[in-house]
Amino acid sequence: TRVLEFKAEAGEAKAVVSLLVLQDQLLVWVGDQREPPVLNNLHYAMAMNRSSGGGSATAASPASPSSPLERERREREKREGVVTTLVGKRFHSLGEKLAKRLSVRMNIPVVCSWNLRDNAAKEEELEALCNMLVKEVMNKYEEEETDADTAGATHGNNEAPPSPTKGE
């Protein structure tokens, strides 16, 4: 478990962001540094695979191998997000939107607490901040995962106990 913090801004929309990185899940707290930290408007989102029935048909991809980015994009298109409000205003669009987009893109459960007031900045600036946070949170999470993998390989990953063998 790690906590990462950073600041972000888009025009007048400014936020302090804390990430609680857990194994295969993430808590994102977005708030105003001038206000005391609270857990308002708490949303929980999960990515789910779309059912194969119904939906629109897609053209078959060419036989040539695709890049890792193209494969990830195709996998992401197969997922859709579901989100529910646990605490606070229901349908608080930016907190729900951030949680849902992160869960679909990262394919992990995401809890998001959006604590910026609706009148903290213009609606367009808050929307731009939300879009920027999707990219920034993903980058921070991926860096953290890479650092954890590197540390585990470097230090022999002594944190996890060895798996029992048959007969023990």
Side-chain angles (χ1 to χ4, degrees):
T1 304
R2 297 239 179 151
V3 176
L4 307 171
E5 295 183 332
F6 63 94
K7 295 180 182 181
E9 63 182 80
E12 294 294 315
K14 298 177 181 173
V16 175
V17 181
S18 294
L19 306 177
L20 180 59
V21 180
L22 304 165
Q23 183 174 346
D24 299 325
Q25 57 188 320
L26 181 66
L27 183 136
V28 180
W29 182 88
V30 180
D32 186 334
Q33 66 184 5
R34 299 169 296 192
E35 308 244 347
V38 292
L39 284 174
N40 290 332
N41 303 314
L42 194 61
H43 309 285
Y44 182 81
M46 290 178 54
M48 299 180 67
N49 288 329
R50 292 184 182 154
S51 64
S52 56
S56 61
T58 57
S61 55
S64 63
S66 60
S67 71
L69 290 175
E70 179 63 22
R71 284 192 302 273
E72 172 58 28
R73 184 190 62 77
R74 282 197 309 250
E75 284 299 314
R76 194 169 52 232
E77 287 175 355
K78 292 179 187 176
R79 296 188 298 261
E80 62 184 319
V82 293
V83 64
T84 189
T85 299
L86 302 174
V87 175
K89 287 191 274 179
R90 192 161 181 220
F91 304 115
H92 191 271
S93 62
L94 293 177
E96 284 189 345
K97 179 184 275 188
L98 181 60
K100 187 175 180 178
R101 287 178 65 192
L102 287 170
S103 71
V104 168
R105 288 183 176 213
M106 300 167 72
N107 200 26
I108 60 172
V110 174
V111 177
C112 178
S113 181
W114 184 273
N115 300 291
L116 294 178
R117 294 181 185 194
D118 294 338
N119 63 358
K122 295 177 187 169
E123 186 176 338
E124 302 83 35
E125 292 175 341
L126 288 169
E127 185 75 35
L129 178 67
C130 183
N131 292 335
M132 181 186 351
L133 289 178
V134 170
K135 294 174 187 166
E136 191 66 26
V137 167
M138 287 179 58
N139 288 339
K140 298 281 185 192
Y141 182 84
E142 288 169 5
E143 287 172 12
E144 182 64 23
E145 290 294 301
T146 302
D147 290 348
D149 290 345
T150 303
T154 305
H155 300 297
N157 198 6
N158 293 331
E159 297 173 351
S163 7
T165 57
K166 195 172 184 177
E168 284 188 0

